[in-house]
């Protein structure tokens, strides 16, 4: 029994790592034992997804739903099912994705958090798999890297939300904001409707006029609490923002001594809201519009978000709602780019594309908001990059491997 527990955990991690390869390459070189022959060609995409599914099924069959307190944090049955619900979307195995998501929910262990801002903090009812850090190691530098101007000298601002992301948020009443008034040449003194947006915006983004660590943020050209910098005006951001926004999500607001102490925020890899949205997409692909809508609404209407439930939509409108909810609910958690790849939409929407920000300046009446280009050249996404090439080092080291057709 002990060996089965170890094998279940090991096979979960093998599936997790092969999933990282499969979502980049499709079929990869598979090893299922220690006969690590040097010259071996890649398996098909179908065979790769088969192995991932088999490993996760085995893990789910032998691992406990919950571990005793002295082993808290180990891989569970729920984690195996949750990862399978994610992986099978990439494999386009819709029924398997739905079945795995059903299995997570049928455990009756997890529930959505009452506050959206708690979802990524771990140690709560929504967290299915998380990685914990300690002040004595392992720790990380997220707060230092993403700090606002004024928190730590010459550091921070390493990544900031774009205007496109901000404009993706609905209003609290479920309607869309018409942002055209803020896209005009020369800008406007009209304040954007930040306070009217979906509560998940305020929980995820530090914007001009919001409060952070007891300070009202300015995020403006001459700001003290937050400062704007034109894109490429300097080699490093040094705590300034090139979009007029900072990232709040994942930051520890109580962590103020960024020189003495490192960061210890938990990384939540799998959580229940994603499982609902995985099942929503699987239901949509299986022509179960009612089930898809129920799963979307479970996420968007829950306590702490409170958006109105969607109703009366089918077909493409359901898919648009899934895209919207995944983008907002899972914002900055590492899903959007990969979703756009697996949906084969990136070459359409991310090609010839630029991101923007708000250049905010103080004036006598308050602030002036100017819509600015934060790329200075178009981004490109070529269709062949849906598959990443076999690395040259692998080709040189393995006489049996063949390059993917897209890269020959």
């Amino acid at each position: 029994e002990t060996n089965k527990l170890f094998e279940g955990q090991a096979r979960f991690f093998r599936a997790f790592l092969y999933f990282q390869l499969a979502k980049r390459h499709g079929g990869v070189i598979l090893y299922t034992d220690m006969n690590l022959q040097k010259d071996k060609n890649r398996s098909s995409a179908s065979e790769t997804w088969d192995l991932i599914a088999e490993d996760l099924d085995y893990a789910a069959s032998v691992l406990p739903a919950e571990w005793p307190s002295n082993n808290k944090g180990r891989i569970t049955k729920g984690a195996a099912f949750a990862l399978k619900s994610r992986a099978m979307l990439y494999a386009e195995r819709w029924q398997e994705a739905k079945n795995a998501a059903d299995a997570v929910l049928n455990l009756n262990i997890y529930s959505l958090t009452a506050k959206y801002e708690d979802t990524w903090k771990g140690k709560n009812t929504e967290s299915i798999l998380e990685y914990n850090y300690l002040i004595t190691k392992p720790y990380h530098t997220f707060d230092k890297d993403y700090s606002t101007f004024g928190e730590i000298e010459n550091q921070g601002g390493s990544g900031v939300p774009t205007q496109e992301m901000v404009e993706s948020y609905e209003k609290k009443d479920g309607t869309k904001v018409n942002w055209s008034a803020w896209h005009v040449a020369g800008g406007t003194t009209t304040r954007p409707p930040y306070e009217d947006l979906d509560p998940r915006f305020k929980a995820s983004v530090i914007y001009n006029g919001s409060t952070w660590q007891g300070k009202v943020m300015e995020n403006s050209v001459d700001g003290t609490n937050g400062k704007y910098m034109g894109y490429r005006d300097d080699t490093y951001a040094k705590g300034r923002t090139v979009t007029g926004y900072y990232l709040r999500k994942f930051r520890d607001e109580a962590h103020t001594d960024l020189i003495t102490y490192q960061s210890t925020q938990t990384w939540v890899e799998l959580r229940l809201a994603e499982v609902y949205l995985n099942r929503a997409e699987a239901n949509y692909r299986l022509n179960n519009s009612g089930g898809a809508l129920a799963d979307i609404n479970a996420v968007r209407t829950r306590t702490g978000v409170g958006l109105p439930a969607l109703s009366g939509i089918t077909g493409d409108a359901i898919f648009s709602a899934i895209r919207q909810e995944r983008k907002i609910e899972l914002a900055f958690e590492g899903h959007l780019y990969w979703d756009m790849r697996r949906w084969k939409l990136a070459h359409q929407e991310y090609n010839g594309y630029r991101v923007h920000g708000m250049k905010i300046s103080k004036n006598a009446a308050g602030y002036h908001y100017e819509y600015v280009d934060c790329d200075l050249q178009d981004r490109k996404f070529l269709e062949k990059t849906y598959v990443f090439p076999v690395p040259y080092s692998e080709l040189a080291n393995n006489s049996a491997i063949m390059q993917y057709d897209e890269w020959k």
Side-chain angles (χ1 to χ4, degrees):
E1 292 303 312
T2 300
N3 286 341
K4 286 181 180 179
L5 292 175
F6 280 125
E7 183 180 352
Q9 293 170 85
R11 290 180 66 172
F12 174 92
F13 283 113
R14 182 169 71 180
F16 184 89
L17 293 170
Y18 271 130
F19 170 63
Q20 303 306 319
L21 290 171
K23 73 179 186 178
R24 290 165 169 81
H25 302 282
V28 296
I29 303 168
L30 298 178
Y31 292 103
T32 56
D33 56 37
M34 296 307 293
N35 180 25
L36 304 179
Q37 63 190 79
K38 176 181 176 182
D39 297 323
K40 187 176 184 181
N41 203 351
R42 58 184 171 88
S43 298
S44 67
S46 180
E47 290 168 331
T48 303
W49 291 117
D50 283 346
L51 178 60
I52 292 168
E54 289 166 10
D55 278 349
L56 292 174
D57 284 343
Y58 180 82
S61 73
V62 299
L63 295 177
E66 295 180 285
W67 287 83
S69 58
N70 61 325
N71 274 301
K72 191 81 171 172
R74 287 187 177 273
I75 304 300
T76 61
K77 188 183 298 291
F81 282 134
L83 180 58
K84 188 179 180 185
S85 79
R86 177 192 293 179
M88 293 300 100
L89 290 185
Y90 284 78
E92 298 185 356
R93 299 180 179 184
W94 315 121
Q95 191 63 54
E96 289 187 65
K98 180 186 182 303
N99 292 347
D102 285 343
V104 175
L105 292 161
N106 289 340
L107 290 171
N108 293 316
I109 294 174
Y110 311 104
S111 59
L112 298 171
T113 62
K115 294 182 179 179
Y116 177 72
E117 53 266 38
D118 289 341
T119 58
W120 61 86
K121 294 179 181 179
K123 302 178 182 66
N124 57 46
T125 60
E126 185 162 336
S127 177
I128 299 172
L129 179 65
E130 61 186 51
Y131 188 92
N132 300 134
Y133 296 84
L134 300 168
I135 198 69
T136 54
K137 285 189 178 180
Y139 45 61
H140 54 88
T141 60
F142 196 90
D143 288 305
K144 186 184 297 182
D145 296 337
Y146 291 85
S147 60
T148 65
F149 184 80
E151 288 187 64
I152 183 170
E153 188 175 0
N154 290 329
Q155 294 188 55
S158 294
V160 290
T162 64
Q163 185 63 29
E164 280 73 14
M165 185 64 208
V166 172
E167 293 181 13
S168 295
Y169 287 90
E170 300 170 61
K171 294 175 70 173
K172 295 173 185 176
D173 63 6
T175 61
K176 293 282 190 180
V177 175
N178 181 354
W179 287 89
S180 59
W182 289 272
H183 292 188
V184 296
T188 178
T189 56
T190 303
R191 177 175 168 76
Y194 297 135
E195 285 74 22
D196 296 335
L197 298 179
D198 179 334
R200 291 173 290 188
F201 167 74
K202 186 177 181 180
S204 303
V205 178
I206 298 172
Y207 56 92
N208 186 55
S210 64
T211 301
W212 175 252
Q213 294 184 342
K215 302 173 292 188
V216 177
M217 300 303 292
E218 296 163 311
N219 300 0
S220 58
V221 173
D222 298 313
T224 301
N225 302 326
K227 179 174 281 192
Y228 172 83
M229 178 189 89
Y231 180 58
R232 290 187 181 171
D233 283 357
D234 199 350
T235 308
Y236 299 101
K238 299 174 184 175
R240 295 164 290 184
T241 169
V242 298
T243 65
Y245 306 100
Y246 291 97
L247 188 62
R248 180 187 289 266
K249 195 171 184 178
F250 309 124
R251 291 287 318 274
D252 179 359
E253 192 167 2
H255 185 188
T256 56
D257 186 349
L258 303 181
I259 297 175
T260 306
Y261 299 104
Q262 301 291 352
S263 298
T264 59
Q265 294 95 301
T266 297
W267 173 255
V268 178
E269 177 62 28
L270 293 163
R271 62 185 181 92
L272 188 62
E274 184 204 340
V275 174
Y276 271 114
L277 295 175
N278 291 347
R279 191 171 71 172
E281 185 173 344
N283 274 322
Y284 161 73
R285 303 291 185 181
L286 294 167
N287 297 314
N288 180 6
S289 296
L293 207 51
D295 286 332
I296 295 168
N297 286 333
V299 174
R300 65 184 275 117
T301 67
R302 75 186 189 277
T303 304
V305 175
L307 265 65
L310 300 176
S311 62
I313 59 174
T314 58
D316 291 344
I318 290 277
F319 181 58
S320 295
I322 290 168
R323 285 187 59 184
Q324 169 70 12
E325 205 56 37
R326 288 186 70 89
K327 185 175 185 179
I328 298 304
E329 175 66 28
L330 306 176
F332 313 112
E333 295 182 36
H335 292 278
L336 178 59
Y337 170 76
W338 295 103
D339 284 344
M340 293 295 284
R341 287 175 59 89
R342 66 184 177 83
W343 291 330
K344 299 295 187 289
L345 293 174
H347 74 285
Q348 299 172 23
E349 299 188 23
Y350 290 166
N351 199 38
Y353 166 79
R354 299 188 186 192
V355 300
H356 298 80
M358 282 288 180
K359 179 181 180 181
I360 304 171
S361 308
K362 294 180 182 178
N363 60 24
Y367 289 97
H368 182 264
Y369 298 84
E370 183 181 357
Y371 185 70
V372 292
D373 182 354
C374 294
D375 274 333
L376 309 185
Q377 62 182 10
D378 288 350
R379 299 184 180 209
K380 297 189 187 304
F381 191 104
L382 306 179
E383 285 191 68
K384 73 176 186 177
T385 53
Y386 283 125
V387 175
F388 289 173
V390 177
Y392 287 118
S393 58
E394 186 71 45
L395 292 170
N397 188 52
N398 184 343
S399 62
I401 191 70
M402 297 289 291
Q403 184 58 272
Y404 296 97
D405 292 341
E406 294 88 340
W407 292 93
K408 287 180 179 176

